[in-house]
Amino acid sequence: MTRQTTFDMRTSGQGLYEFTRDVSTWAKGTGLLTLFVQHTSCSLLIQENADPEVQVDLTNFFKRLVPPTTHPDMAYLTHTYEGPDDMPAHIKSALLPVSLQIPVTDGRLALGTWQGIYLFEHRDAPKVRSVVAHLG
């Protein structure tokens, strides 16, 4: 049996937003779950969910790796119409996955003990992000 739904997630700026519980509640049966984010300035990750410092460190690392266009190192960027965080957000989403695949067995996600599913928001302003889930 094939199932499909969309999870709409509200973000409040850059950072990781866990939605493992929502996906676990929805994913019934056995098959391969595909998650796909319908935006070009955020990503999806499977990451540790036991220590919140992991999410803080990841957010801070990517802010340093790809700073805003107002940073002197980013003066070469030309796509600046939507603010200093826009093109860096596109770069981050080009470096990180926008889809994930997770096996589901008898209604249980085959995640490891400390793994969680996250939307990684790369923009500063609040957004509503849509993640399509397909279980087949």
Side-chain angles (χ1 to χ4, degrees):
M1 177 172 80
T2 299
R3 300 181 67 209
Q4 193 165 331
T5 194
T6 300
F7 296 98
D8 290 323
M9 303 176 54
R10 295 187 186 282
T11 67
S12 58
Q14 292 191 42
L16 286 101
Y17 297 84
E18 186 173 8
F19 65 112
T20 311
R21 185 170 300 181
D22 295 334
V23 175
S24 294
T25 300
W26 176 82
K28 302 297 178 204
T30 296
L32 185 61
L33 171 66
T34 300
L35 299 171
F36 174 77
V37 64
Q38 295 180 304
H39 306 278
T40 60
S41 55
C42 61
S43 306
L44 296 174
L45 290 180
I46 294 175
Q47 197 47 253
E48 178 179 328
N49 64 358
D51 185 350
E53 290 179 349
V54 172
Q55 291 88 51
V56 171
D57 288 347
L58 281 169
T59 301
N60 290 335
F61 171 78
F62 279 98
K63 283 181 181 178
R64 285 186 70 186
L65 182 66
V66 188
T69 58
T70 53
H71 190 281
D73 291 345
M74 304 304 273
Y76 66 93
L77 295 175
T78 58
H79 179 75
T80 59
Y81 312 114
E82 297 178 50
D85 66 324
D86 185 41
M87 189 59 213
H90 293 302
I91 294 169
K92 292 172 191 175
S93 92
L95 294 172
L96 296 165
V98 295
S99 66
L100 301 171
Q101 291 187 313
I102 303 165
V104 179
T105 305
D106 296 327
R108 296 192 62 160
L109 302 178
L111 293 172
T113 302
W114 308 116
Q115 289 182 319
I117 305 166
Y118 292 88
L119 174 88
F120 197 171
E121 177 62 68
H122 304 309
R123 297 297 306 270
D124 292 331
K127 303 284 182 191
V128 176
R129 303 303 197 170
S130 298
V131 178
V132 176
H134 178 91
L135 180 60

Short mmCIF file of all heavy atoms in Angstrom, two decimals, residues 7-8 26 50 74 126:
data_model
loop_
_atom_site.label_atom_id
_atom_site.label_comp_id
_atom_site.label_asym_id
_atom_site.label_seq_id
_atom_site.Cartn_x
_atom_site.Cartn_y
_atom_site.Cartn_z
N PHE A 7 3.77 17.38 5.46
CA PHE A 7 3.93 17.98 6.77
C PHE A 7 4.29 19.45 6.56
O PHE A 7 5.28 19.76 5.90
CB PHE A 7 5.06 17.30 7.56
CG PHE A 7 4.79 15.86 7.88
CD1 PHE A 7 5.32 14.85 7.10
CD2 PHE A 7 4.00 15.51 8.96
CE1 PHE A 7 5.08 13.52 7.38
CE2 PHE A 7 3.74 14.18 9.26
CZ PHE A 7 4.28 13.19 8.46
N ASP A 8 3.47 20.35 7.09
CA ASP A 8 3.77 21.77 7.05
C ASP A 8 4.37 22.18 8.38
O ASP A 8 3.78 21.93 9.43
CB ASP A 8 2.51 22.59 6.76
CG ASP A 8 2.02 22.39 5.34
OD1 ASP A 8 2.86 22.26 4.43
OD2 ASP A 8 0.79 22.35 5.13
N TRP A 26 2.61 9.02 11.64
CA TRP A 26 1.98 8.85 10.33
C TRP A 26 2.39 7.56 9.62
O TRP A 26 1.57 6.92 8.95
CB TRP A 26 2.31 10.05 9.44
CG TRP A 26 1.78 9.89 8.05
CD1 TRP A 26 0.51 10.13 7.62
CD2 TRP A 26 2.51 9.42 6.91
NE1 TRP A 26 0.40 9.85 6.28
CE2 TRP A 26 1.62 9.41 5.83
CE3 TRP A 26 3.83 9.02 6.71
CZ2 TRP A 26 2.01 9.01 4.55
CZ3 TRP A 26 4.22 8.61 5.45
CH2 TRP A 26 3.31 8.61 4.39
N ALA A 50 19.53 13.50 21.03
CA ALA A 50 19.67 13.36 22.49
C ALA A 50 20.21 14.63 23.14
O ALA A 50 19.75 15.01 24.21
CB ALA A 50 20.57 12.18 22.82
N MET A 74 31.91 37.26 1.26
CA MET A 74 30.82 36.88 0.37
C MET A 74 30.50 37.96 -0.66
O MET A 74 29.48 37.89 -1.35
CB MET A 74 29.57 36.56 1.20
CG MET A 74 29.80 35.48 2.25
SD MET A 74 30.43 33.94 1.58
CE MET A 74 28.91 33.14 1.17
N PRO A 126 10.83 33.90 9.90
CA PRO A 126 9.93 32.74 10.04
C PRO A 126 9.38 32.31 8.68
O PRO A 126 9.10 33.15 7.82
CB PRO A 126 8.81 33.28 10.93
CG PRO A 126 9.40 34.44 11.64
CD PRO A 126 10.40 35.04 10.69
#
